[in-house]
């Protein structure tokens, strides 16, 4: 019912050409005595094999030096990321707190990922409240697992490296209201 052009006929057929969406499939036949039999199955979900809701952690390490003393900070944030029904776009975010020299700083990380043939690319944007910085992000997605990494030196002051480790928990491709 989603893809009106899809109407295979016959005893045997193979077809993987259904459009993305939730379908209602109906099978009907006419018996030799003229009776008509109809059976319908609803809620058949058609989408990319990697589509869905992924959750897990983002681990972010920041290393810097101040007045001859090396500082290392780590923040771990819970991530919710959605891969669209076509399996081409991943979006999500996490927030974590970096503690540096007695100061706590909430950092929002926003993930904007492109996906093609299991390869993940795109950007992770870190919003430090007084400035934002984007990192090139690379990774892979397959079999309900998504992993990605990013790293860079920010303005010569700090090295930041991050890693996503996510697992699919649902085939839903957006937040439920």
């Amino acid at each position: 019912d989603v893809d009106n052009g899809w109407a295979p006929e016959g005893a045997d057929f193979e077809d993987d050409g259904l459009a993305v969406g939730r379908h209602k499939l109906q099978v009907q036949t006419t018996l030799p005595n003229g009776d008509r039999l109809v059976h319908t199955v609803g809620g058949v979900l058609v989408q990319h094999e990697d589509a869905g809701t992924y959750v897990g952690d983002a681990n972010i390490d920041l290393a810097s030096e101040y007045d001859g003393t090396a500082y290392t900070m780590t923040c771990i944030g819970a991530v919710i990321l959605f891969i669209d029904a076509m399996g081409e776009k991943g979006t999500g975010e996490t927030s974590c707190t970096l503690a540096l020299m007695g100061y706590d700083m909430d950092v929002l990380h926003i993930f904007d990922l492109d996906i093609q043939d299991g390869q993940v690319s795109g950007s992770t944007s870190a919003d430090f409240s007084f400035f934002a910085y984007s990192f090139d992000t690379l990774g892979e997605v397959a079999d309900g697992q998504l992993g990605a990494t990013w790293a860079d030196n920010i303005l010569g002051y700090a090295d930041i490296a991050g890693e996503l480790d996510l697992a699919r928990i649902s085939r839903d491709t957006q937040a439920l209201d």
Side-chain angles (χ1 to χ4, degrees):
D1 65 327
V2 173
D3 189 351
N4 292 329
W6 190 82
E9 294 182 15
D12 292 321
F13 66 88
E14 285 188 28
D15 189 334
D16 63 355
L18 280 174
V20 168
R22 288 197 184 272
H23 294 264
K24 178 175 64 180
L25 301 178
Q26 186 177 77
V27 178
Q28 60 183 330
T29 188
T30 304
L31 299 176
N33 67 359
D35 290 347
R36 192 175 126 211
L37 296 176
V38 178
H39 184 73
T40 303
V41 176
V44 177
L45 179 62
V46 176
Q47 64 186 25
H48 192 276
E49 63 188 82
D50 294 326
T53 303
Y54 289 73
V55 298
D57 295 324
N59 295 300
I60 299 110
D61 294 321
L62 184 142
S64 66
E65 186 176 309
Y66 178 74
D67 201 23
T69 303
Y71 292 92
T72 302
M73 296 151 287
T74 297
C75 70
I76 300 172
V79 176
I80 298 175
L81 185 126
F82 299 99
I83 296 181
D84 71 346
M86 300 299 289
E88 297 173 348
K89 194 74 172 163
T91 56
E93 62 183 42
T94 187
S95 182
C96 62
T97 302
L98 285 174
L100 176 61
M101 300 179 341
Y103 296 99
D104 290 341
M105 180 178 8
D106 290 327
V107 182
L108 176 66
H109 290 80
I110 301 168
F111 307 103
D112 184 12
L113 307 175
D114 296 314
I115 302 162
Q116 184 175 357
D117 299 326
Q119 298 300 304
V120 175
S121 63
S123 69
T124 298
S125 178
D127 184 349
F128 293 91
S129 73
F130 56 93
F131 79 99
Y133 195 87
S134 289
F135 301 88
D136 290 336
T137 305
L138 298 172
E140 295 181 348
V141 61
D143 301 323
Q145 301 292 317
L146 185 145
T149 60
W150 62 94
D152 202 355
N153 178 280
I154 297 180
L155 308 171
Y157 293 107
D159 292 317
I160 293 185
E163 179 179 15
L164 281 177
D165 183 19
L166 309 177
R168 184 177 48 224
I169 61 162
S170 170
R171 293 288 183 176
D172 292 322
T173 58
Q174 60 188 2
L176 299 175
D177 294 328

